[in-house]
């Protein structure tokens, strides 16, 4: 049981990664394009292009990639964008958005579809000066966070760039290098902004899998805003986790399966990386065996009050249930129970025994049709 974990680093190394259109010149295929969900006024305007807004007031459109990407791995996005033909009276711009929620768009207008999204990171290409947000009068680029288009909360910028509203396509190159914690954006071959920082922990509070999209908006002034992908290259962690046959047979027994890396520090409910790695094994099993429902039974040791233990064990079972639902297991197939300090399997007199009693047991049973 423990031996497998000695090989874990190796297994993690072997995790498959896959790439979309890794050739510099290759355009995205129709299949790649189908991975984007357009919302608002956005639509596929032909080939590898999306129109985000028309040249009309109060238009908003965004596209979201269906699958999360992992910020622990590098990514590159290369694209052409058109920010319209109206320079002096054109607006508002686009934002490349990263955040943990699929297909969720923020406030339009000066918020450019990014406003209010939290936690989030946004790369804005802003063509309209909103003085109260600290915008410079010229077109500019900035790296924003937490749904705030105001520049006092910038991670980087605003940096003034040559006029982008000239009817012409501009080449945008976005790259994230986790080894150097470096996010960099070039426009027409010149790096215009960079941010060096621990984005995963500082912006996303430890979450490395995020969704991404691009949004554009107009307000009282407008422009036709369009984006054409040339290259997308990123790694997505494939589900590697699976249960061993002996664990599956334990799962079908009444006492259930104990996964030893599913542990909660005393008094805490939050799921850590090791725990979610284990839970992904159950997700895979449940997806491949849809005739089964699962019971999640959480227990505590006897430290603290009985009622407190009851409450926290229920909260932990519910947290696990929410995680499984988030990974696509139907809610009606999951039964979450907190049993508090009842049914100890070891002595509560020793630290070792208490650690054993703080456990979550999983058992599956056939759903009666
Ligand atoms: Ca301009
Ligand atoms: Ca603006």
């Amino acid at each position: 049981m423990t031996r497998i974990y000695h090989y874990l680093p190796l297994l993690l190394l072997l995790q498959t990664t896959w790439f979309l259109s890794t050739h510099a010149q290759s355009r995205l295929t129709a299949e790649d394009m189908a991975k984007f969900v357009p919302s608002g006024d956005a639509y596929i305007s032909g080939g590898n292009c999306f129109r985000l807004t028309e040249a009309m007031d109060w238009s908003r459109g965004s596209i979201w990639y269906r699958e999360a990407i992992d910020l622990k791995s590098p990514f590159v996005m290369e694209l052409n964008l058109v920010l319209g033909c109206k320079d002096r009276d054109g607006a508002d711009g686009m934002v490349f958005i990263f955040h943990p929620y699929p297909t969720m768009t923020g406030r339009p207008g000066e918020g450019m579809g990014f406003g209010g999204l939290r936690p989030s990171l946004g790369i804005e290409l802003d063509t309209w000066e909103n003085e109260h947000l600290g915008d410079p009068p010229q077109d500019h680029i900035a790296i924003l966070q937490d749904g705030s288009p105001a520049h006092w909360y910038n991670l980087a910028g605003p940096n003034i760039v040559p006029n982008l509203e000239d009817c012409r396509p501009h080449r945008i190159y976005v790259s994230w290098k986790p080894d150097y914690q470096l996010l960099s954006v070039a426009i027409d071959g010149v790096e215009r902004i960079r941010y060096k920082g621990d984005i995963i922990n500082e912006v996303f509070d430890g979450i490395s899998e995020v969704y991404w999209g691009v949004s554009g908006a107009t307000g009282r002034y407008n422009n036709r805003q369009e984006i054409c992908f040339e290259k997308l290259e990123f790694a997505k962690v494939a589900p590697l986790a699976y249960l061993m046959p002996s664990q599956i047979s334990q799962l079908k027994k009444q006492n259930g399966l104990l996964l030893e890396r599913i542990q909660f520090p005393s008094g805490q409910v939050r799921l850590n990386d090791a725990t979610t790695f284990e839970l992904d094994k159950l997700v895979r099993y449940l997806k491949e065996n849809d005739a089964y429902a699962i019971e999640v039974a959480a227990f505590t040791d006897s430290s603290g009050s009985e009622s407190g233990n009851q409450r926290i064990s229920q909260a932990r079972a519910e947290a696990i249930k929410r995680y499984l639902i988030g990974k696509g297991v139907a809610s009606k197939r999951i039964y979450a129970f907190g049993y508090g300090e009842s049914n100890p399997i070891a002595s509560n007199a020793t630290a070792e025994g208490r650690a054993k009693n703080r456990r979550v047991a999983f058992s599956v049973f056939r759903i009666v049709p």
Side-chain angles (χ1 to χ4, degrees):
M1 184 62 197
T2 52
R3 186 162 303 167
I4 183 80
Y5 299 117
H6 294 301
Y7 296 106
L8 204 55
L10 178 65
L11 290 173
L12 288 170
L13 267 180
L14 291 173
Q15 280 185 123
T16 50
T17 55
W18 67 85
F19 297 95
L20 254 178
S21 304
T22 53
H23 312 290
Q25 298 307 318
S26 75
R27 294 195 163 187
L28 273 66
T29 64
E31 198 183 329
D32 296 332
M33 291 295 279
K35 290 194 173 160
F36 288 94
V37 184
S39 77
D41 298 332
Y43 61 94
I44 295 182
S45 50
N48 55 337
C49 299
F50 290 96
R51 180 76 52 87
L52 295 180
T53 67
E54 302 294 347
M56 51 187 265
D57 291 352
W58 304 109
S59 174
R60 62 192 286 194
S62 61
I63 52 168
W64 290 96
Y65 199 70
R66 288 178 195 277
E67 294 163 3
I69 62 171
D70 190 349
L71 295 176
K72 287 181 193 148
S73 301
F75 68 71
V76 167
M77 298 172 183
E78 199 169 350
L79 45 118
N80 287 314
L81 57 78
V82 172
L83 285 164
C85 304
K86 292 181 264 186
D87 178 17
R88 294 189 76 83
D89 56 351
D92 266 283
M94 280 183 201
V95 188
F96 292 76
I97 302 169
F98 302 83
H99 70 70
Y101 316 105
T103 70
M104 197 167 135
T105 307
R107 289 192 297 271
E110 66 187 25
M112 291 175 288
F114 175 70
L117 293 175
R118 216 186 142 94
S120 65
L121 182 133
I123 300 165
E124 73 155 9
L125 292 157
D126 189 342
T127 57
W128 183 259
E129 179 188 14
N130 300 92
E131 284 179 36
H132 67 285
L133 300 177
D135 283 350
Q138 303 92 335
D139 296 351
H140 55 276
I141 185 169
I143 297 176
L144 310 172
Q145 66 174 326
D146 283 349
S148 172
H151 292 299
W152 6 101
Y153 305 110
N154 270 182
L155 291 174
N159 294 350
I160 291 161
V161 299
N163 179 33
L164 295 169
E165 299 154 304
D166 57 0
C167 277
R168 302 211 340 251
H170 294 276
R171 191 74 151 194
I172 307 294
Y173 184 89
V174 181
S175 89
W176 164 242
K177 294 186 176 121
D179 291 352
Y180 303 95
Q181 299 196 326
L182 182 65
L183 179 67
S184 158
V185 185
I187 304 176
D188 297 326
V190 179
E191 184 184 73
R192 294 293 178 181
I193 203 161
R194 55 164 51 202
Y195 175 69
K196 210 166 168 0
D198 182 358
I199 288 173
I200 294 171
N201 287 306
E202 286 163 14
V203 178
F204 294 112
D205 196 21
I207 297 167
S208 75
E209 291 198 3
V210 295
Y211 293 87
W212 68 278
V214 188
S215 84
T218 67
R220 285 187 296 118
Y221 297 90
N222 63 65
N223 251 324
R224 171 175 67 91
Q225 304 184 99
E226 192 161 43
I227 182 168
C228 302
F229 288 104
E230 296 298 323
K231 176 183 173 184
L232 289 175
E233 197 176 288
F234 46 75
K236 192 177 171 303
V237 178
L240 170 88
Y242 56 88
L243 294 171
M244 312 298 273
S246 62
Q247 292 177 309
I248 292 171
S249 68
Q250 196 62 44
L251 194 61
K252 291 178 178 171
K253 290 181 181 159
Q254 199 184 350
N255 286 339
L257 170 69
L258 302 176
L259 291 164
E260 54 182 69
R261 294 199 335 145
I262 295 197
Q263 281 172 348
F264 295 91
S266 186
Q268 290 188 27
V269 174
R270 196 186 151 117
L271 307 176
N272 63 27
D273 284 352
T275 295
T276 55
F277 183 80
E278 294 298 289
L279 292 177
D280 287 344
K281 298 178 182 179
L282 291 165
V283 168
R284 171 174 277 208
Y285 178 82
L286 291 168
K287 285 188 174 173
E288 289 170 356
N289 297 276
D290 56 9
Y292 286 95
I294 188 165
E295 181 189 331
V296 180
F299 300 86
T300 65
D301 61 28
S302 67
S303 339
S305 76
E306 203 174 327
S307 62
N309 285 334
Q310 171 59 39
R311 211 164 41 238
I312 200 158
S313 65
Q314 186 66 40
R316 286 169 178 165
E318 299 285 350
I320 289 172
K321 178 174 180 173
R322 279 196 301 277
Y323 181 81
L324 298 178
I325 291 170
K327 289 285 177 169
V329 180
S331 165
K332 63 180 182 195
R333 294 176 63 197
I334 310 165
Y335 297 81
F337 297 109
Y339 291 97
E341 62 190 57
S342 68
N343 304 313
I345 55 170
S347 164
N348 275 309
T350 66
E352 195 187 339
R354 286 192 295 275
K356 280 188 176 157
N357 287 335
R358 291 194 301 269
R359 68 198 191 275
V360 182
F362 299 92
S363 49
V364 295
F365 51 93
R366 277 194 178 277
I367 298 167
V368 181

